[in-house]
Amino acid sequence: MQGPIIGGTIEGSLDLPGNQVRMSGTFVPMYGLNNMFGQLPILGLFLGGGSNEGLIGMTYEIVGTPGQPVLRVNPISAMAPGVLRKIFEFNTGKQNNPVEFPPNN
C-alpha cells in the first residue's frame, strides 16, 4: 500500500479454518518523501530498500488468532536504511514451503 502520508508492505497468510494469522512487513511513514530515496539510480536500492519502501521504515509482524492478533514491532529496524533493514525483518509471513494440493481421486 502507498500514499503520500504512509506506505507499507505486507505478506503472509490469514488461515480462517486453521484460526491462524501470520503476516509480516514494513511500515513506511511519510511515504512520499521517504520513497524519493528509493527512486535514485543505484543508490536507491541501498538507501530506500527498493521502489516500494523508503529510507526510514519499521518492520513488524502480526501473529495469533484472527480474534486476538498480536502486533510485534522491531524499533531497531527504524535506524537501518534500505537494504540493511532487511536484516531486521521478521520471517513470519514468508512462504518457505511449496503449496500442497490435495491428491486427485
Side-chain angles (χ1 to χ4, degrees):
M1 82 177 160
Q2 61 189 22
I5 305 299
I6 63 170
T9 62
I10 189 166
E11 63 181 312
S13 63
L14 176 60
D15 181 8
L16 294 178
N19 203 32
Q20 290 266 338
V21 175
R22 298 183 54 79
M23 298 180 182
S24 63
T26 303
F27 171 75
V28 183
M30 301 178 301
Y31 182 79
L33 178 64
N34 229 335
N35 186 257
M36 288 187 337
F37 295 99
Q39 304 302 320
L40 295 172
I42 301 170
L43 290 177
L45 178 63
F46 299 104
L47 292 177
S51 62
N52 294 327
E53 294 189 24
L55 180 64
I56 300 169
M58 204 174 318
T59 60
Y60 68 90
E61 74 173 347
I62 302 169
V63 294
T65 63
Q68 288 188 308
V70 176
L71 171 66
R72 296 183 187 133
V73 177
N74 188 344
I76 296 173
S77 65
M79 293 184 270
V83 169
L84 296 178
R85 189 171 41 251
K86 302 290 183 195
I87 296 168
F88 300 105
E89 281 186 346
F90 293 98
N91 288 323
T92 305
K94 306 282 190 242
Q95 295 295 327
N96 294 329
N97 299 324
V99 175
E100 295 182 22
F101 295 102
N104 292 332
N105 292 333

